[in-house]
Amino acid sequence: MAQGIRDKVVLLTGAAQGIGAIYARHLAAEGAKLVVTDVNEEGVQALAEAIGRAGGTARALKVDIASQDDTERMARFALEQFGRIDGLVNNAALFSALLPKRSMMEIDVAQWDRVMAVNVRGPFLCCRAVLPQMRQQKSGSIVTISSNTVLSGVSGFLHYVTSKSALVGFTRALAREIGPDGIRTNLVMPGLVDTDGVRQGYSEEDRARAQAVRALARPQTPEDLNGVIAFLLSEDSAFITGQTFNVDGGALFH
Ligand SMILES: NC(=O)c1ccc[n+]([C@@H]2O[C@H](COP(=O)([O-])OP(=O)(O)OC[C@H]3O[C@@H](n4cnc5c(N)ncnc54)[C@H](O)[C@@H]3O)[C@@H](O)[C@H]2O)c1
């Protein structure tokens, strides 16, 4: 029987709300041992407790992914708790906090810099923190979350789309660099997902438009992403690295 992600130690960023919390519940239900992190400490504590009550294993830690100290602490904490690191899901980002959308001239320089610090430097720091351990193990899988806005090029979200585009090159270059150590990295591009943040930040018309262009014309749920994340963390994807998986119900073909 395939092992899937049972007993794999997986670090997940941005798990306090939205899609990240759904990934966490799914990965735990599939038997992974989780470190759930977020800047929202209460949120990840509550999540870890809920996962524990449901029979899963999760430890919570407050982590700002833009901070080198925090990301290094995250890797040390995982090792203290579980003794190894098999997977990292770079999910945290400034996304719903940036809504409603704004034009280029309305994005000030400080906000631009903060989006790059969280959405680009964050995954860089998280990878950097876990790589020494993965190199020692000669194994590991890193999944980074981008967005299908990179393919469509939506307006009013220039800082966000630029940051998520950077992760394409990041993943490809990193795959080359860590492949020789037996470590893989892949990118997932969700479409517009029905979360509280999206329901608050997007009008009903915008959400209906996003749905209408899908080959599978229904709302996208966070659960629609669970399969691809678990697959990429498991040995079932052992020969896949540097790739981009667009999971948007066939809105865009790539
Ligand atoms: N919801 C969508 O439609 C959609 C579509 C495409 C891609 N995505 C991507 O999926 C991921 C999750 O999206 P979501 O809708 O759940 O987002 P969200 O905005 O609802 O949640 C983001 C989470 O990241 C955390 N976070 C923010 N800054 C952080 C930091 N510096 N350090 C640690 N944690 C931080 C927040 O506290 C929050 O819990 C993001 O990478 C987002 O860009 C979402």
Side-chain angles (χ1 to χ4, degrees):
M1 202 176 89
Q3 176 72 1
I5 50 169
R6 180 151 302 282
D7 293 330
K8 285 198 182 286
V9 176
V10 177
L11 280 59
L12 180 57
T13 67
Q17 69 177 48
I19 311 174
I22 302 292
Y23 295 153
R25 288 173 189 272
H26 179 71
L27 295 171
E30 294 287 305
K33 295 173 180 163
L34 297 183
V35 174
V36 288
T37 71
D38 203 289
V39 277
N40 173 356
E41 188 170 17
E42 266 177 37
V44 276
Q45 286 292 354
L47 175 69
E49 284 162 24
I51 288 173
R53 282 195 300 275
T57 305
R59 308 276 185 272
L61 188 70
K62 180 180 181 183
V63 173
D64 176 352
I65 59 164
S67 152
Q68 186 172 3
D69 285 351
D70 276 20
T71 55
E72 289 173 354
R73 197 159 46 83
M74 172 177 77
R76 282 197 304 275
F77 178 77
L79 289 175
E80 282 158 21
Q81 294 294 319
F82 299 120
R84 56 183 292 120
I85 300 174
D86 299 302
L88 164 69
V89 182
N90 281 314
N91 169 73
L94 289 175
F95 168 60
S96 61
L98 301 176
L99 296 169
K101 291 181 182 169
R102 60 194 67 196
S103 70
M104 182 179 189
M105 300 313 285
E106 292 168 329
I107 296 173
D108 65 35
V109 174
Q111 190 175 41
W112 176 273
D113 287 348
R114 182 65 190 157
V115 172
M116 297 308 146
V118 176
N119 294 9
V120 184
R121 188 171 77 200
F124 163 71
L125 289 176
C126 291
C127 291
R128 218 167 172 273
V130 301
L131 275 174
Q133 177 62 26
M134 288 184 172
R135 282 200 160 116
Q136 241 179 48
Q137 295 169 191
K138 296 228 160 294
S139 69
S141 173
I142 298 168
V143 181
T144 298
I145 308 300
S146 176
S147 162
N148 82 338
T149 57
V150 171
L151 303 177
S152 62
V154 298
S155 67
F157 229 8
L158 200 59
H159 43 6
Y160 177 77
V161 179
T162 303
S163 71
K164 292 294 182 178
S165 303
L167 299 175
V168 179
F170 175 79
T171 298
R172 291 175 182 175
L174 185 63
R176 297 263 180 221
E177 198 163 318
I178 62 182
D181 298 307
I183 308 165
R184 301 180 296 110
T185 183
N186 290 288
L187 195 71
V188 173
M189 291 180 166
L192 190 68
V193 181
D194 233 11
T195 57
D196 290 344
V198 165
R199 278 187 293 273
Q200 282 162 24
Y202 283 76
S203 68
E204 222 166 283
E205 295 74 47
D206 279 349
R207 286 185 280 132
R209 250 195 309 276
Q211 180 170 318
V213 298
R214 291 178 187 145
L216 305 170
R218 63 156 173 80
Q220 177 166 3
T221 69
E223 287 80 3
D224 287 323
L225 292 149
N226 280 340
V228 74
I229 304 290
F231 168 68
L232 291 173
L233 291 171
S234 78
E235 300 310 314
D236 293 338
S237 58
F239 204 49
I240 300 177
T241 194
Q243 304 303 313
T244 297
F245 293 80
N246 178 38
V247 183
D248 69 357
L252 298 159
F253 298 127
H254 146 83

